[in-house]
Amino acid sequence: PAPTRRQCAKGRLLHYFPRAEGAPASAAGASDFAFSDWCGWHNDHGSLTGLVTAMFMDAEGREVPNEDPEAGLYVSSRQGSLVHVRIPAGGLAFQIGETAQVHSGGLLQATPHAVRGTSVPGVSRSTMAVFMEPMMGEPMDVPAGRSLEDTQSASAAEALPAGVPPLASRWELGQDFGQFTERTLGMFYDTPEGAEQGEVAAAES
């Protein structure tokens, strides 16, 4: 697989800043996709992302329990339903990226995800993520016997949360990973709807 040929994976400490005292919390309920107070909806454009258990900390940097049961990582299923992901203590989770979706011809599907902020003022969240992806010159081609429609069907594209651009809008046969990355980041930054997600995409590249 392409990720095994990459010379280095990218490990990043992801820190989500606390909500200021008096600042409004997200108005959306846990069953609503309309939240982006810690991290807006997006797909990772690489191959695979490894995640460890998140830590919540107070203003003094001390670890504290997550007192907001709705805060944390959410993913969207292939059917478009909202799932709150709770990685157990000491656990390790993986998210599929869009490059793995292409290289598998759609057998694997990228995981749309977002992070909902806590309603508790002064509490931040940190986690460690390792982003695995191919070399920049790796071809972004589908396997023999798989089609463009297999890679992202119309129904799968329709199930994406608002603000997540369909794969077909950024990827085409003949691209390499570097070109796909450039087009993906360009779309996030160059459209008003993607400005917030662009900050995330850049940080995760």
Side-chain angles (χ1 to χ4, degrees):
T4 65
R5 296 196 294 271
R6 183 154 180 86
Q7 294 177 344
C8 65
K10 298 174 183 176
R12 294 186 184 277
L13 175 64
L14 304 179
H15 182 71
Y16 304 88
F17 289 93
R19 182 170 66 87
E21 189 74 40
S26 174
S31 61
D32 195 328
F33 280 81
F35 63 85
S36 60
D37 33 9
W38 260 349
C39 176
W41 285 100
H42 67 288
N43 282 333
D44 293 343
H45 74 282
S47 300
L48 191 67
T49 303
L51 295 168
V52 299
T53 311
M55 298 173 61
F56 291 82
M57 290 170 286
D58 64 16
E60 303 301 321
R62 297 175 297 230
E63 186 174 5
V64 296
N66 176 19
E67 297 182 355
D68 183 347
E70 294 187 358
L73 176 66
Y74 285 78
V75 303
S76 174
S77 74
R78 294 192 189 191
Q79 293 74 39
S81 59
L82 190 65
V83 180
H84 190 179
V85 178
R86 297 175 175 88
I87 304 173
L92 183 64
F94 291 92
Q95 293 176 162
I96 302 296
E98 291 175 321
T99 295
Q101 181 172 334
V102 171
H103 285 159
S104 70
L107 294 175
L108 301 174
Q109 292 282 316
T111 311
H113 55 284
V115 181
R116 180 185 175 92
T118 180
S119 60
V120 182
V123 173
S124 62
R125 178 181 184 270
S126 292
T127 189
M128 179 71 179
V130 177
F131 301 96
M132 292 161 272
E133 57 194 35
M135 301 297 288
M136 287 296 176
E138 184 77 26
M140 291 289 289
D141 294 334
V142 299
R146 303 293 293 180
S147 68
L148 298 182
E149 175 62 20
D150 292 331
T151 304
Q152 183 169 68
S153 65
S155 59
E158 290 173 0
L160 292 173
V164 180
L167 181 62
S169 67
R170 295 166 286 117
W171 164 73
E172 60 188 29
L173 290 177
Q175 279 181 331
D176 60 27
F177 179 69
Q179 292 167 327
F180 174 62
T181 297
E182 184 177 5
R183 182 171 293 184
T184 295
L185 297 184
M187 177 165 289
F188 275 123
Y189 273 111
D190 294 343
T191 61
E193 296 82 1
E196 180 178 1
Q197 287 92 335
E199 297 295 329
V200 174
E204 297 187 352
S205 300

